[in-house]
Amino acid sequence: MSRAIEIVRAHGITRRTRPLVVLSAASGVTDTLIRISEFALKPDTHDALLLVDQLEARHARIARELIADSETVVTVQNQLHSVWEEVRTLVRGVHLLKELTPRSRDQFQSVGERCSTRIFQAALAERAGTSKTPVHYYDAREFFATTSDFTAARPLTGEIKKRMRKIHNALAKGAVGVSQGFIGSTAENQVTTIGRGGSDFSAAIQGVAIDAAEIQIWTDVAGIMTCDPRIAPAATTIDKISFSDASELAFFGAKVLHPETIWPAVEAGIPVRVLSSKEPENPGTIIVEDCESERPITGIAIRRTPVLVKITSRSAVIDTSIQAAAWEALDREGVAPLAVSLARDSALLVLDNMHAVPRLRAMLEHVADIEIVRDRALITLVGSGLKTRSGIAARIFRGLGRANCEMASFGGSQTSVSVVVQDDVAARVAKRLHGEFFE
Ligand code: ASP
Ligand code: MG
């Protein structure tokens, strides 16, 4: 939080770009709030209330550590205290009713953001000091209009834009704003949340609503990297990446933010930059709707031990029903395979997890043998250059060296190539491929 305050100061108070800061809860707080809501159903409220006390104490301490002026500390602690009193009332309510509805879950879950932003606003205002920059607190429940799908509410972007006009004007006049990610409210003023990890999505929606010049997502990794640096130490930050390449990398296992969450911004033509609060000087990665990359490959993703499903027909003749059944099983489970390879009498599916396996078995076992293999890895090279440059496939296969490639799949988008190798050689292979294309 302290680093975040410094970042906002450096970027927004000393320079002329006034940010709206969209904050998530302090680390682990949302998880604990969910535990509290579930503990409220226990035979007594002791455990739930104990956790409430601990969270309150923790936030009081954060306020003390971040805010110097003791009167401000007391003011903030009092504001937070009334929020925690609300939580205690909720615990008793759920306990008496013996019922935890999605609506009440959201009342619990939304508290982390309400508290972190109170502290942040006060600490930032104090450190804005002599610059006379006003730092406003904006309650997302007043402007972030959503549907009433509690715990998975959808933002109502038109309404949000209308309600954020005032904020937009205040920022244009030189104020800095602090608001919450993740939370919003229904037309009946019931608090909602938009799904776990939703703060990036909130930031994108709010950024679009106020017509931001850029949206920055501050995480703890400096942008999107050419490969996992623990595997390829020479991996570097990708300066600029297209939305589709970023999405492909995420889909195939690179640890980057879920690109779908920032789609509203990209679509609106607002660049999104991913940066690290641990290395604030690093310019990170900028994600844009479309860009030409000078390299044929943008990045390499590795998925360790995915689920390989080998389906082999027991019939000697071509049985077209097998493929249809496999796709239907996946569809019914809402699972998209990472890669697929087909042969006359067999199919190989690479899946992210075991979720669809029981149904695949149920629908296919009477006609086919099904084998599950786990000690493999899927290495995927992503890049729009794959479509247009020649000789890339040869370089990829050369990069595999002596590793046994058990399956290769050219992604339907023609912007990715995936190979399956034994997991114990995967790191070596990925590193060599990284050398081939980036070093
Ligand atoms: N605090 C929320 C969560 O933990 C939202 C977020 O982190 O983006 O899910
Ligand atoms: Mg979080």
Side-chain angles (χ1 to χ4, degrees):
M1 265 197 166
S2 172
R3 271 203 304 265
I5 290 169
E6 279 319 303
I7 289 163
V8 176
R9 253 166 50 81
H11 283 252
I13 290 181
T14 53
R15 293 190 211 156
R16 290 234 130 255
T17 41
R18 303 308 197 197
L20 173 63
V21 185
V22 181
L23 278 191
S24 181
S27 142
V29 171
T30 311
D31 287 327
T32 309
L33 287 164
I34 291 171
R35 281 234 303 286
I36 291 171
S37 68
E38 283 159 5
F39 281 8
L41 295 166
K42 286 189 176 191
D44 73 69
T45 55
H46 176 266
D47 293 352
L49 292 175
L50 188 68
L51 285 180
V52 179
D53 293 348
Q54 286 169 3
L55 276 188
E56 176 164 13
R58 185 170 155 211
H59 282 83
R61 199 181 67 235
I62 300 175
R64 256 191 332 270
E65 285 177 12
L66 286 179
I67 303 166
D69 177 59
S70 52
E71 253 173 61
T72 315
V73 173
V74 173
T75 311
V76 170
Q77 286 178 345
N78 286 339
Q79 285 166 339
L80 299 187
H81 182 67
S82 55
V83 177
W84 294 112
E85 283 296 300
E86 235 178 82
V87 178
R88 291 184 181 96
T89 308
L90 278 168
V91 166
R92 293 189 191 99
V94 166
H95 183 75
L96 283 174
L97 294 170
K98 298 192 174 33
E99 179 184 53
L100 181 61
T101 60
R103 180 188 291 246
S104 26
R105 279 183 192 273
D106 272 352
Q107 289 183 292
F108 283 98
Q109 287 193 58
S110 58
V111 164
E113 273 72 8
R114 289 168 62 196
C115 291
S116 65
T117 45
R118 277 284 177 211
I119 299 171
F120 194 89
Q121 185 272 338
L124 183 63
E126 185 174 85
R127 292 205 221 168
T130 52
S131 75
K132 296 271 185 299
T133 304
V135 179
H136 296 312
Y137 176 90
Y138 294 114
D139 191 327
R141 292 172 300 174
E142 286 166 17
F143 66 82
F144 204 82
T146 71
T147 62
S148 49
D149 306 294
F150 294 99
T151 73
R154 297 291 92 204
L156 303 170
T157 49
E159 182 61 23
I160 293 171
K161 191 174 172 94
K162 210 161 74 198
R163 296 193 196 172
M164 286 186 84
R165 204 158 289 147
K166 266 200 226 114
I167 300 178
H168 189 168
N169 292 340
L171 298 177
K173 289 207 195 84
V176 170
V178 175
S179 82
Q180 302 81 28
F182 185 52
I183 74 174
S185 69
T186 66
E188 291 77 40
N189 289 324
Q190 286 287 325
V191 68
T192 51
T193 66
I194 59 169
R196 294 305 309 277
S199 290
D200 296 345
F201 188 43
S202 284
I205 301 279
Q206 294 183 37
V208 172
I210 61 163
D211 208 6
E214 180 172 297
I215 294 171
Q216 301 181 341
I217 311 239
W218 289 84
T219 62
D220 48 12
V221 282
I224 305 176
M225 303 200 71
T226 51
C227 190
D228 181 343
R230 286 165 304 181
I231 288 175
T236 53
T237 301
I238 302 168
D239 309 330
K240 194 174 185 185
I241 189 169
S242 69
F243 179 77
S244 88
D245 280 0
S247 305
E248 292 264 83
L249 279 173
F251 180 71
F252 287 111
K255 297 265 173 307
V256 300
L257 81 167
H258 289 300
E260 314 87 73
T261 62
I262 57 153
W263 172 244
V266 175
E267 189 190 35
I270 302 175
V272 178
R273 194 182 284 282
V274 185
L275 305 106
S276 163
S277 58
K278 291 184 180 147
E279 288 173 63
E281 326 68 43
N282 188 325
T285 303
I286 193 152
I287 305 172
V288 294
E289 187 165 10
D290 214 354
C291 71
E292 280 295 322
S293 90
E294 66 280 16
R295 288 184 157 131
I297 301 293
T298 311
I300 300 175
I302 303 162
R303 170 107 39 185
R304 307 295 294 265
T305 63
V307 176
L308 249 67
V309 185
K310 294 186 172 179
I311 303 166
T312 312
S313 165
R314 279 197 292 271
S315 155
V317 293
I318 296 181
D319 184 353
T320 51
S321 67
I322 289 183
Q323 285 181 17
W327 286 108
E328 194 187 332
L330 293 179
D331 180 38
R332 284 209 209 159
E333 294 297 332
V335 168
L338 295 166
V340 177
S341 187
L342 302 173
R344 188 190 63 84
D345 63 347
S346 58
L348 188 60
L349 309 176
V350 186
L351 307 179
D352 189 29
N353 56 49
M354 292 290 283
H355 183 76
V357 170
R359 192 178 295 271
L360 279 165
R361 283 198 194 286
M363 291 181 65
L364 285 160
E365 228 153 29
H366 59 291
V367 283
D369 294 326
I370 296 180
E371 188 192 349
I372 305 293
V373 181
R374 292 305 302 265
D375 58 348
R376 305 291 198 272
L378 184 77
I379 302 176
T380 305
L381 297 95
V382 172
S384 340
L386 273 165
K387 234 191 304 208
T388 49
R389 319 249 179 130
S390 49
I392 308 299
R395 287 170 69 191
I396 293 173
F397 283 102
R398 200 161 52 236
L400 292 177
R402 299 159 72 91
N404 180 11
C405 171
E406 294 182 53
M407 169 189 174
S409 139
F410 204 167
S413 61
Q414 294 178 293
T415 58
S416 68
V417 172
S418 300
V419 293
V420 171
V421 296
Q422 290 278 348
D423 187 63
D424 53 7
V425 302
R428 217 163 58 225
V429 171
K431 187 165 173 231
R432 200 164 43 228
L433 285 166
H434 191 269
E436 170 69 29
F437 286 100
F438 295 97
E439 293 164 37

